[in-house]
Amino acid sequence: MSAGHDPTPSAAANLLLPPPALPDVRKYRFTVGHMFLGAAFLLLLLAVVIPNSLPIPTAAAMGLAFLLALPGLRIGAGLRQLLALYLGTVIVTIAYMIVGGMHGASLVALAQVVAIYIVSPFLWTMIAEALLRRLGTERLVGWFVLLSLLCAVSVALFFYLYFRHGAAAVAFFFQGANINQSEGFSGATMHVYGSLIFLCGGFFSSPELIRGRLLRLLLLAALLVCALTSGRSALILAVAIGWLLGLLLSSRTTARLQRSMFARALRYGLPVLVATATALFLLQAYTQISLGAVLDVVTAKLASGGGSARVQMAHALFGGILDNGGFGSGHGVGVAFISDPIHPWRYELVWLATLYRVGILGTVVYALPFLLYILGVLRLAYRHRLPPQHKFLFSGLVCALLATNTNPYIEAFAFQWMYVIPLVALFVEYPDCLRACS
């Protein structure tokens, strides 16, 4: 090397060198997408199969899924409309939190209102949008098939552990768990029955979405056994309501194969009939449960308005509504009847409780997203454009909404998936239909 020669390449030579390698953005997004799906499945596993059993891990999984959903967030026309409706509910919630504070609502109650009415629905909406965008409705229903099987397994495990080792062995599923079996009736206390209300309504309305005849038979039979051994009127009715909705809407779907009522009754009645026969055989062979005894108890409970406690609760809430003139008494306050000693402002009759808290106008604002959703589904059905997956979601949501007259599922963040996912699916996939309805 000669003296004075610069060993470093010249600027011109640098121009000929290849540029430094940049990180593969597509690979990064691919990784984030898979991480989101993993977090979302974990969230649904906790919220659907063992709801309320692990609240802190469930909240952590929700937060993680929300953060992973943000990088690919797409706010289209349908989601904007849904968020506008959500904003209306937020305004009502904040206004009636102020009213509740003026009427003596505790800070704990108001903090829970913020978490349940404002934060949790927003997180579920963003997670549902990302989940449906990455999976699609059809694959998401496939997830629900697996989750339903796991729900049935958890119920079987609950009964086995309870009878084998006592209530302490199933405290993970439900604190103070109990199973009542007498004179052919069975009743149990499990949080998973709330999830099964949605799943039974969905799959008994759309059994064709369960791939494989054997799996379809086994899942329907398992869901029916879970319903009959639960003692929950809402869950047992979800089976009948789901099947009836499926029968009525089957000729209106995009995948309709038969048009006659007889053909549709055969298509939807035969799987349910076989599953019912299988479930009754299993109950007769391995338990003392009688279908007649279960139906007698359910009928008596419905005829009595849900039992004496719910009748007294309804009378107290009606009295509160009359006292405030339908203008609402505010969030975080209750009536003289106390349903929950720890949270005296909570009531199982959510519809009446909502009317008492936020009045007629506030209740309409809260109900508007669901009313528009129902109108949108009926409009698609009228035009024979209703996909079977949305028939499943619609039937499950209808059963879940009716169940809010027996239990405040919608006020538990772990159960809000079954009220949010159907709305997001329809608003995002069919924004034109919903704009026409509104």
Side-chain angles (χ1 to χ4, degrees):
M1 180 180 299
S2 60
H5 179 75
D6 188 359
T8 59
S10 64
N14 280 332
L15 294 176
L16 300 177
L17 294 176
L22 297 176
D24 190 345
V25 178
R26 291 176 299 176
K27 182 178 180 181
Y28 172 76
R29 291 179 178 174
F30 178 80
T31 303
V32 170
H34 277 71
M35 290 173 61
F36 166 75
L37 291 178
F41 184 81
L42 175 62
L43 172 61
L44 289 178
L45 183 67
L46 294 171
V48 177
V49 181
I50 50 173
N52 293 338
S53 296
L54 297 171
I56 295 178
T58 303
M62 179 183 294
L64 177 61
F66 170 73
L67 293 176
L68 293 173
L70 292 179
L73 179 64
R74 297 176 184 174
I75 302 181
L79 185 59
R80 280 199 302 270
Q81 185 179 16
L82 184 58
L83 290 176
L85 294 171
Y86 162 77
L87 181 60
T89 66
V90 171
I91 294 172
V92 169
T93 299
I94 294 175
Y96 278 95
M97 284 176 59
I98 297 173
V99 175
M102 295 171 60
H103 289 162
S106 66
L107 293 178
V108 174
L110 295 179
Q112 291 191 6
V113 169
V114 171
I116 296 301
Y117 281 80
I118 297 178
V119 177
S120 181
F122 178 75
L123 297 184
W124 274 116
T125 299
M126 297 297 101
I127 293 169
E129 188 278 334
L131 190 59
L132 289 162
R133 175 167 38 82
R134 295 183 182 278
L135 275 186
T137 312
E138 185 174 356
R139 290 181 61 192
L140 180 59
V141 173
W143 277 23
F144 282 127
V145 172
L146 175 58
L147 293 170
S148 299
L149 290 172
L150 294 176
C151 288
V153 171
S154 72
V155 172
L157 184 62
F158 178 89
F159 274 78
Y160 172 79
L161 291 176
Y162 183 89
F163 287 122
R164 189 69 180 261
H165 302 289
V170 293
F172 169 78
F173 294 102
F174 194 96
Q175 291 292 333
N178 182 41
I179 295 179
N180 174 28
Q181 288 190 346
S182 60
E183 300 179 355
F185 174 78
S186 174
T189 52
M190 285 190 75
H191 294 299
V192 74
Y193 290 139
S195 301
L196 287 172
I197 290 173
F198 179 93
L199 297 172
C200 283
F203 282 120
F204 275 90
S205 76
S206 309
E208 72 276 12
L209 297 180
I210 307 173
R211 305 299 182 187
R213 294 181 180 179
L214 180 59
L215 178 60
R216 185 180 308 155
L217 170 63
L218 291 177
L219 182 56
L220 292 178
L223 292 175
L224 186 56
V225 168
C226 291
L228 294 176
T229 56
S230 70
R232 301 289 184 93
S233 302
L235 179 52
I236 296 172
L237 288 175
V239 174
I241 294 172
W243 178 80
L244 181 61
L245 289 174
L247 182 62
L248 293 175
L249 295 174
S250 61
S251 66
R252 298 288 176 172
T253 64
T254 55
R256 63 188 186 279
L257 300 178
Q258 299 96 357
R259 293 181 178 274
S260 69
M261 177 62 75
F262 175 78
R264 284 186 283 127
L266 184 64
R267 183 188 181 195
Y268 286 89
L270 187 59
V272 175
L273 181 63
V274 175
T276 302
T278 304
L280 294 179
F281 171 78
L282 293 174
L283 293 176
Q284 183 69 27
Y286 298 102
T287 70
Q288 301 297 321
I289 298 173
S290 168
L291 177 61
V294 173
L295 295 180
D296 286 343
V297 172
V298 172
T299 303
K301 187 180 293 186
L302 292 175
S304 65
S308 60
R310 288 196 177 98
V311 171
Q312 296 176 26
M313 187 189 307
H315 287 164
L317 289 171
F318 269 124
I321 294 168
L322 293 176
D323 289 341
N324 63 42
F327 290 100
S329 296
H331 276 296
V333 296
V335 292
F337 183 91
I338 297 178
S339 175
D340 185 347
I342 301 177
H343 308 102
W345 60 88
R346 291 184 181 178
Y347 296 97
E348 295 177 344
L349 304 177
V350 173
W351 292 13
L352 281 179
T354 302
L355 190 58
Y356 164 75
R357 293 166 182 158
V358 300
I360 298 174
L361 181 59
T363 301
V364 170
V365 174
Y366 279 159
L368 188 58
F370 299 105
L371 294 175
L372 290 176
Y373 170 81
I374 292 172
L375 289 174
V377 170
L378 295 179
R379 189 167 183 266
L380 288 175
Y382 177 76
R383 296 186 173 188
H384 297 277
R385 293 176 53 205
L386 181 65
Q389 295 80 15
H390 285 275
K391 175 163 61 74
F392 165 87
L393 295 173
F394 172 75
S395 302
L397 177 61
V398 168
C399 293
L401 286 174
L402 293 176
T404 56
N405 283 311
T406 64
N407 204 298
Y409 295 116
I410 198 171
E411 294 182 341
F413 80 95
F415 285 113
Q416 287 183 343
W417 60 268
M418 56 187 182
Y419 300 97
V420 173
I421 289 178
L423 270 66
V424 174
L426 193 72
F427 273 67
V428 170
E429 294 184 17
Y430 295 95
D432 294 337
C433 172
L434 290 163
R435 279 201 297 268
C437 290
S438 59

